[in-house]
Amino acid sequence: SYVQGVSDVPLLTKTVGQCLDKTVERFPDREALVFYRDGVRKTFAQLKEEVDQAAAGLLALGLKKGDRLGMWSPNRYEWVLMQFATAQAGIILASVNPAYQALELEFVIRKVGCKAMVFPTQFKTQKYYDILKQSCPELEKSSPGGIKSKRLPDLSIVITLDSKLPGTFHMDEVMQAGDSSHMKQLRTTQQSLSCNEPINIQFTSVGASACSMPSVRGAGRPWLLTLVLTLPQDYRVVIPAPLYHCLASVGGCMVMALHGSSCVFSSPTFEGKAALESLSQEKCSFIHGTPTMFIDMLSQPDFESYDLSSLRGGVIAGSPVPPEVIRMVITKMHMREAVVS
């Protein structure tokens, strides 16, 4: 259901793919994504080409419209690639907290009915492959795409982002799997998609069973409307927030696809120093984060050494914001056009 307040701007009736296609036509050579720490930069045209390749690859692996794919990773390019590739193919992306351990992961996979999981083999001390094996010991002796798990009966496909491990496809294999027939299948599927269909399942932090299913039509429009209607179309925004949460995946990536903004992801997980460095080096005009992220940035010992003159505003969301923090954000970070949500 949709609830809309008093506004002259109607809700969109386009799918994610249609929004991205239109923006690619308008700004093919503009940077869509920057993953600052990883050195990854993609224009809208490059993103679109790789999204189509990935979507065709997912279809080649046997996924189809309505299937669920779990994305379990810190912030990296492949997260956004899967976000748009699944939307193109009508596959529902489940955003999985990269800090989840075995019991939490098993709950999500069973609750959502994930047919596929995508993750790096390891990040810092988090060994994703080994964690999944606790619930799916069959993984190690399975053929890629042929997993048959007693505890996770829906899961059949595992895709790793770096090392090629037993029972998994590597992301490179997915990118190369689709041929012309799968691309044709993708185009046919796209024609059948509706903006009212769910594209994403997000789990909140308030309880084990709490999750939401945003559709294309309702995702992120109301709370960003005040901000985006006054923005230059070429604005650049730093995203230190995690992609598994709507502040980054919707407030960042969906707005990027809709309005042609450039998203700069400062680091795989939040680091105040990396966020400030990205703001300064990439000459960004906006930043979206939580109150604690802004407090951390303001508390950096070398805060005064960063050039934040390009910064105009952004979004502070996720929890209540102390008034003194808002004042410091406006005066010290030049965020005059801030939206507190």
Side-chain angles (χ1 to χ4, degrees), residues 67-93:
D67 285 339
R68 272 79 161 163
L69 178 147
M71 190 68 210
W72 186 35
S73 167
N75 289 5
R76 53 187 293 164
Y77 171 61
E78 292 88 353
W79 209 112
V80 184
L81 183 65
M82 285 293 101
Q83 178 182 6
F84 287 98
T86 52
Q88 294 269 66
I91 298 164
I92 301 172
L93 181 85

Side-chain angles (χ1 to χ4, degrees), residues 34-158:
V34 176
F35 282 80
Y36 184 78
R37 181 66 60 79
D38 298 331
V40 174
R41 293 176 182 271
K42 300 291 180 180
T43 65
F44 277 97
Q46 289 169 332
L47 174 62
K48 169 62 177 173
E49 181 180 359
E50 293 182 9
V51 163
D52 282 354
Q53 281 184 299
L58 293 176
L59 294 177
L61 264 56
L63 291 167
K64 60 185 184 302
K65 179 181 176 182
D67 285 339
R68 272 79 161 163
L69 178 147
M71 190 68 210
W72 186 35
S73 167
N75 289 5
R76 53 187 293 164
Y77 171 61
E78 292 88 353
W79 209 112
V80 184
L81 183 65
M82 285 293 101
Q83 178 182 6
F84 287 98
T86 52
Q88 294 269 66
I91 298 164
I92 301 172
L93 181 85
S95 305
V96 184
N97 188 328
Y100 275 175
Q101 298 304 305
L103 290 178
E104 297 162 311
L105 177 68
E106 181 175 339
F107 171 83
V108 168
I109 294 175
R110 291 176 63 89
K111 181 77 172 179
V112 173
C114 288
K115 185 174 181 178
M117 287 295 298
V118 182
F119 52 82
T121 55
Q122 182 173 348
F123 178 73
K124 295 185 177 179
T125 60
Q126 185 82 331
K127 298 182 179 181
Y128 295 99
Y129 184 82
D130 291 341
I131 292 171
L132 178 59
K133 281 200 303 180
Q134 293 180 45
S135 298
C136 182
E138 300 90 348
L139 173 61
E140 202 164 22
K141 296 183 179 180
S142 298
S143 60
I147 300 167
K148 298 186 186 305
S149 171
K150 291 182 180 178
R151 291 168 66 175
L152 305 174
D154 296 301
L155 184 66
S156 61
I157 298 168
V158 169

Side-chain angles (χ1 to χ4, degrees), residues 223-224 227 231 235 237-238 247 285-289 294 311-317 329 334-341:
W223 65 279
L224 281 169
L227 191 63
L231 293 178
Y235 81 101
V237 55
V238 169
L247 183 57
S285 48
F286 288 82
I287 180 170
H288 300 342
F294 285 98
L311 192 57
R312 288 177 45 191
V315 174
I316 309 175
V329 163
H334 314 295
M335 280 180 58
R336 298 175 300 276
E337 301 173 27
V339 173
V340 179
S341 174

Side-chain angles (χ1 to χ4, degrees), residues 189-201:
T189 299
Q190 285 180 283
Q191 292 175 6
S192 71
L193 299 180
S194 164
C195 66
N196 295 307
E197 294 172 324
I199 55 165
N200 181 210
I201 298 174

Side-chain angles (χ1 to χ4, degrees), residues 92-335:
I92 301 172
L93 181 85
S95 305
V96 184
N97 188 328
Y100 275 175
Q101 298 304 305
L103 290 178
E104 297 162 311
L105 177 68
E106 181 175 339
F107 171 83
V108 168
I109 294 175
R110 291 176 63 89
K111 181 77 172 179
V112 173
C114 288
K115 185 174 181 178
M117 287 295 298
V118 182
F119 52 82
T121 55
Q122 182 173 348
F123 178 73
K124 295 185 177 179
T125 60
Q126 185 82 331
K127 298 182 179 181
Y128 295 99
Y129 184 82
D130 291 341
I131 292 171
L132 178 59
K133 281 200 303 180
Q134 293 180 45
S135 298
C136 182
E138 300 90 348
L139 173 61
E140 202 164 22
K141 296 183 179 180
S142 298
S143 60
I147 300 167
K148 298 186 186 305
S149 171
K150 291 182 180 178
R151 291 168 66 175
L152 305 174
D154 296 301
L155 184 66
S156 61
I157 298 168
V158 169
I159 300 166
T160 53
L161 301 180
D162 35 43
S163 303
K164 166 74 171 176
L165 294 173
T168 74
F169 291 104
H170 190 275
M171 180 57 75
D172 289 345
E173 294 176 296
V174 178
M175 297 298 289
Q176 298 165 11
D179 57 24
S180 58
S181 67
H182 299 112
M183 197 63 71
K184 183 178 179 180
Q185 180 185 352
L186 175 63
R187 300 303 177 216
T188 302
T189 299
Q190 285 180 283
Q191 292 175 6
S192 71
L193 299 180
S194 164
C195 66
N196 295 307
E197 294 172 324
I199 55 165
N200 181 210
I201 298 174
Q202 296 193 359
F203 283 79
T204 71
S205 59
V206 298
S209 62
C211 63
S212 62
M213 297 181 67
S215 70
V216 178
R217 188 174 187 182
R221 292 281 290 168
W223 65 279
L224 281 169
L225 194 58
T226 307
L227 191 63
V228 299
L229 288 181
T230 61
L231 293 178
Q233 289 181 329
D234 61 346
Y235 81 101
R236 296 168 69 80
V237 55
V238 169
I239 311 285
L243 275 162
Y244 76 87
H245 192 273
C246 65
L247 183 57
S249 61
V250 177
C253 297
M254 291 297 291
V255 172
M256 170 200 74
L258 187 59
H259 293 279
S261 56
S262 301
C263 287
V264 178
F265 290 89
S266 50
S267 52
T269 56
F270 174 73
E271 296 177 28
K273 188 176 180 66
L276 290 170
E277 190 174 324
S278 298
L279 279 168
S280 177
Q281 295 296 320
E282 297 292 327
K283 305 299 179 187
C284 293
S285 48
F286 288 82
I287 180 170
H288 300 342
T290 64
T292 52
M293 291 177 182
F294 285 98
I295 291 169
D296 187 284
M297 286 184 277
L298 288 162
S299 301
Q300 291 297 312
D302 58 347
F303 175 83
E304 298 295 339
S305 68
Y306 296 98
D307 179 8
L308 306 182
S309 58
S310 62
L311 192 57
R312 288 177 45 191
V315 174
I316 309 175
S319 66
V321 192
E324 61 271 21
V325 173
I326 298 177
R327 283 193 289 267
M328 290 174 66
V329 163
I330 293 172
T331 57
K332 290 192 172 186
M333 297 184 72
H334 314 295
M335 280 180 58

